[in-house]
Amino acid sequence: MSRWLCILLLAGATAAHAAPPHATGDERDSQIAEKTLLTQLDAVRHNVVDRTSDLVVTAMGFLGVPYRRGGNSAETGFDCSGFVRAIYGQTVGLILPRRADQQAAATESIDKKELQPGDLVFFNTMRRAFSHVGIYVGDGKFIHSPRSGAQVRVEDMRTSYWQRRFDGARRVTTAELQTQPLD
């Protein structure tokens, strides 16, 4: 289960146990602290949802940009890791490593069942682990810059080609990455 889902479930369980109206001063202080914590957790949840939505929407805005080996901008084209790096830098303000295998090493491994929009999905497309990366958009689909002669597009991970090559899912956390100011 994802860390955020655990936090939200815990927050919901905490909210369900309100103290009776005849609470003492200490109990009231505890209630106030709980409400403050719940408000903070709700703000964090909204921030995560907003960032994830922004990330996926931003990525979708680059549909049709041509593939270019070593490319890292919409003007010149993207390779797979350059696309992911540009989207995270522009939307979330995080600087991901340049290569797909480095991005895998710098992010938190998660189970495929825990995938959420904005998570990274990795594939073995060149007979080596983590040779291709894309951004999960939900419903079993991901957006990526696939190969020479192609353009940024959305594909279904459940097709046999991608299923056979799936290398793992990763979540980007700020602990391992450098942040940059958003414009």
Side-chain angles (χ1 to χ4, degrees):
M1 190 179 315
S2 83
R3 174 179 25 191
W4 293 111
L5 186 55
C6 289
I7 290 171
L8 293 175
L9 289 175
L10 178 62
T14 304
H17 299 294
H22 60 280
T24 67
D26 287 342
E27 289 172 334
R28 279 190 217 110
D29 289 345
S30 177
Q31 288 175 341
I32 291 170
E34 282 181 17
K35 285 183 182 179
T36 301
L37 177 62
L38 291 175
T39 301
Q40 290 172 343
L41 287 173
D42 193 47
V44 167
R45 181 182 63 82
H46 285 298
N47 188 27
V48 169
V49 168
D50 291 346
R51 282 185 162 198
T52 300
S53 297
D54 289 348
L55 192 122
V56 171
V57 168
T58 299
M60 292 294 191
F62 290 99
L63 287 170
V65 172
Y67 177 93
R68 179 173 177 230
R69 183 181 169 101
N72 56 14
S73 75
E75 294 78 29
T76 60
F78 291 112
D79 65 9
C80 66
S81 57
F83 173 68
V84 169
R85 187 172 201 252
I87 298 304
Y88 266 88
Q90 180 178 332
T91 309
V92 186
L94 293 177
I95 301 172
L96 292 172
R98 180 60 185 93
R99 293 190 341 245
D101 60 336
Q102 294 169 333
Q103 291 175 358
T107 52
E108 177 185 335
S109 180
I110 60 170
D111 190 272
K112 191 176 187 178
K113 294 176 283 203
E114 295 176 14
L115 273 170
Q116 297 174 8
D119 288 338
L120 303 182
V121 287
F122 292 88
F123 302 91
N124 178 342
T125 58
M126 302 176 85
R127 294 193 172 109
R128 63 181 159 79
F130 307 112
S131 55
H132 188 71
V133 62
I135 300 172
Y136 186 71
V137 298
D139 195 28
K141 294 179 175 52
F142 72 107
I143 186 168
H144 66 133
S145 186
R147 59 178 159 59
S148 185
Q151 302 170 338
V152 172
R153 65 183 180 214
V154 174
E155 293 199 58
D156 196 320
M157 293 173 42
R158 297 167 291 200
T159 64
S160 61
Y161 178 86
W162 294 114
Q163 279 185 342
R164 284 192 318 270
R165 290 164 176 81
F166 183 73
D167 249 354
R170 300 283 195 275
R171 181 151 300 142
V172 176
T173 60
T174 57
E176 298 88 4
L177 301 169
Q178 179 181 358
T179 58
Q180 64 187 14
L182 294 174
D183 294 333

